[in-house]
Amino acid sequence: IPLPRMSSVELASLGPDLHMSLLEEVREHVRLVSARAAFTEAEARKRAASLLCAGALSGFLGFCFAFAIGIVREQTAGKRDVNGRLFESGRGYFPATVSEMVHNQSEPSGKVFFAFCFVGAIMIFFSWYPTRLQNVYIGDDAQIFGVSWVTIRQFIPAPGMMMLSIITVVPPAQATILDEFCICLHLIGAAMLFVGYFVCEAHALGWGPFAGWLEKGKLRDTPTSIRQRKLCLTGIGLFYLVFCVVQVVLCSPLVDPEESDQWGFVPGHEGVHLVNTATWHVKWLKVVSYGSEVLAGLLLIGSHLVIWCHSEERRYDLPEELSKLCSHSRFEFDADDNSHNDLQSSSDCTSGEDYGVIETQRLQSRASCPGTGGQQFVAFPAIRSGLADLYCISLRRCA
């Protein structure tokens, strides 16, 4: 809809009373727009905090349930082979990694881990907490290789968690050439989650070798929160390092193959299956490997919960009622008596098509304004939004 302009003569003829009325309307529009913008920003930030909390709790439950189910399985079905007979060693099979424990998504451990961790990763990703929480956001200028740390934190750890839960692996003895691709992608996902989050959090906190990388005072967080986050970060690095070292030991010649799990062909079944379980010496190494990975994951999730707990955004108090909106706002005045009409109520709202017809008819009609020599104009056509109203008023006051 074209916006007619008012000449200085026409504007001067409106009188001081109408000028003051227009000024009050501009102020009211500014207040309404500011209130709506503040509500939208506050709601988005509080939603980010809520999604971060829900996602972290979901991931926490995923690791906890997987660990518990793994212990129960080792004491029950883990002591028998594929034919249901007890292993010669009499010990139950215990996996060396969480990934090996949950590799079969048709089993309870696989179902639970996939459900909780994938849902948690989705929530954390769509929270966009690196850019919406003040105790995480460090600005866009802090970059590495031309990419901001905030962007890395958004697009590395959470997608890595998704890859961990979706791309499953099989025990190395049962892996085919095609399974090796899944194992490589799974390891990439693990690196994205653990290493990616560790590096981003260490940079933001100035932990260890990252001290001094970030401008002092850039991270807006309390000393207590920073201390707790550094403690979680130290635990993540320590337990993940233990996990990696034990994995190297298990794959090295330091472990006698005769003491490891024995895999082979079982009559009546296709493929390679577990024939006998490892000795106590190797089994305890596997328990340490598995437990350290679980603790690293729990501390990583706990770090997210610490961020949420100390975030200012989760304490935002939103209005108890939402403002009532309509499809458009009509702002007009009667030039004959210099009186100004308020915004029409929502009962005057019409559909988009009817609104266009009404406005076209209003523009085609002309109202006489005294003191302008009988010139015809429409002072304030209907505008669809408060911002457009404000813009339109400003044009006419400055014409």
Side-chain angles (χ1 to χ4, degrees):
I1 301 175
L3 301 178
R5 298 180 61 85
M6 295 175 61
S7 66
S8 58
V9 176
E10 295 170 340
L11 186 62
S13 66
L14 298 180
D17 294 338
L18 186 55
H19 275 287
M20 293 301 298
S21 179
L22 293 178
L23 182 60
E24 291 299 325
E25 280 296 331
V26 170
R27 291 174 177 171
E28 179 64 15
H29 275 285
V30 171
R31 187 191 67 80
L32 290 175
V33 172
S34 299
R36 291 174 184 173
F39 171 80
T40 302
E41 179 71 10
E43 189 276 332
R45 290 190 180 188
K46 189 167 186 176
R47 182 173 66 246
S50 300
L51 285 172
L52 176 64
C53 178
L57 288 176
S58 181
F60 185 85
L61 292 175
F63 275 95
C64 288
F65 283 135
F67 181 77
I69 292 175
I71 297 296
V72 174
R73 189 178 187 280
E74 189 273 339
Q75 292 296 321
T76 54
K79 294 184 177 182
R80 299 179 180 275
D81 61 12
V82 67
N83 289 323
R85 293 175 298 191
L86 291 173
F87 290 119
E88 182 181 350
S89 65
R91 291 178 291 273
Y93 172 75
F94 200 90
T97 64
V98 176
S99 305
E100 188 178 341
M101 170 68 71
V102 301
H103 76 277
N104 190 350
Q105 294 187 356
S106 63
E107 294 184 355
S109 58
K111 295 177 182 178
V112 170
F113 186 82
F114 170 76
F116 282 101
C117 287
F118 183 73
V119 170
I122 289 292
M123 289 182 175
I124 293 175
F125 180 81
F126 283 103
S127 71
W128 286 87
Y129 78 96
T131 60
R132 290 179 176 173
L133 300 185
Q134 294 185 32
N135 59 343
V136 180
Y137 185 67
I138 57 175
D140 197 51
D141 292 338
Q143 298 181 352
I144 180 172
F145 302 116
V147 182
S148 67
W149 285 95
V150 173
T151 302
I152 295 175
R153 187 167 189 148
Q154 172 64 28
F155 291 100
I156 295 298
M161 190 173 176
M162 298 180 199
M163 292 176 63
L164 274 181
S165 59
I166 295 176
I167 304 176
T168 59
V169 298
V170 296
Q174 295 179 315
T176 63
I177 296 179
L178 297 179
D179 291 328
E180 297 293 340
F181 286 98
C182 289
I183 293 176
C184 291
L185 292 175
H186 186 86
L187 292 177
I188 292 174
M192 290 171 62
L193 174 61
F194 288 98
V195 180
Y197 180 82
F198 180 87
V199 172
C200 291
E201 182 74 347
H203 172 265
L205 297 175
W207 181 91
F210 292 93
W213 280 41
L214 192 64
E215 181 182 350
K216 188 175 182 181
K218 196 75 172 180
L219 183 67
R220 300 181 59 183
D221 203 357
T222 62
T224 302
S225 175
I226 293 177
R227 190 163 52 249
Q228 294 175 358
R229 289 168 65 177
K230 285 185 176 180
L231 183 62
C232 290
L233 194 64
T234 303
I236 295 171
L238 176 62
F239 286 112
Y240 196 73
L241 179 61
V242 171
F243 166 73
C244 294
V245 170
V246 175
Q247 282 293 302
V248 172
V249 171
L250 288 173
C251 298
S252 68
L254 296 175
V255 176
D256 187 356
E258 296 297 329
E259 296 182 352
S260 301
D261 297 311
Q262 304 298 315
W263 298 80
F265 294 95
V266 177
H269 298 275
E270 296 182 358
V272 178
H273 297 276
L274 185 64
V275 177
N276 197 13
T277 55
T279 62
W280 278 113
H281 174 70
V282 176
K283 183 174 181 178
W284 276 114
L285 286 176
K286 295 172 68 177
V287 171
V288 171
S289 172
Y290 183 89
S292 60
E293 185 183 15
V294 169
L295 289 175
L298 293 179
L299 285 171
L300 187 146
I301 298 301
S303 178
H304 286 83
L305 292 175
V306 171
I307 292 173
W308 167 81
C309 182
H310 293 278
S311 65
E312 175 185 315
E313 288 75 10
R314 77 179 185 91
R315 300 180 178 88
Y316 282 173
D317 187 15
L318 299 179
E320 298 303 316
E321 294 183 359
L322 296 176
S323 58
K324 192 171 184 180
L325 302 178
C326 61
S327 60
H328 70 278
S329 299
R330 298 184 61 180
F331 183 73
E332 58 187 356
F333 72 93
D334 186 354
D336 292 334
D337 57 2
N338 285 344
S339 63
H340 183 269
N341 296 328
D342 295 328
L343 292 174
Q344 294 188 359
S345 64
S346 59
S347 60
D348 294 330
C349 295
T350 58
S351 63
E353 296 181 358
D354 295 337
Y355 174 73
V357 174
I358 294 173
E359 292 307 311
T360 303
Q361 294 174 353
R362 292 180 69 251
L363 287 175
Q364 291 174 350
S365 64
R366 294 296 185 264
S368 299
C369 182
T372 60
Q375 295 182 6
Q376 308 291 320
F377 72 100
V378 177
F380 295 92
I383 305 300
R384 290 177 182 266
S385 70
L387 281 175
D389 275 335
L390 177 59
Y391 178 72
C392 200
I393 296 169
S394 301
L395 286 179
R396 284 148 181 76
R397 295 193 69 240
C398 298

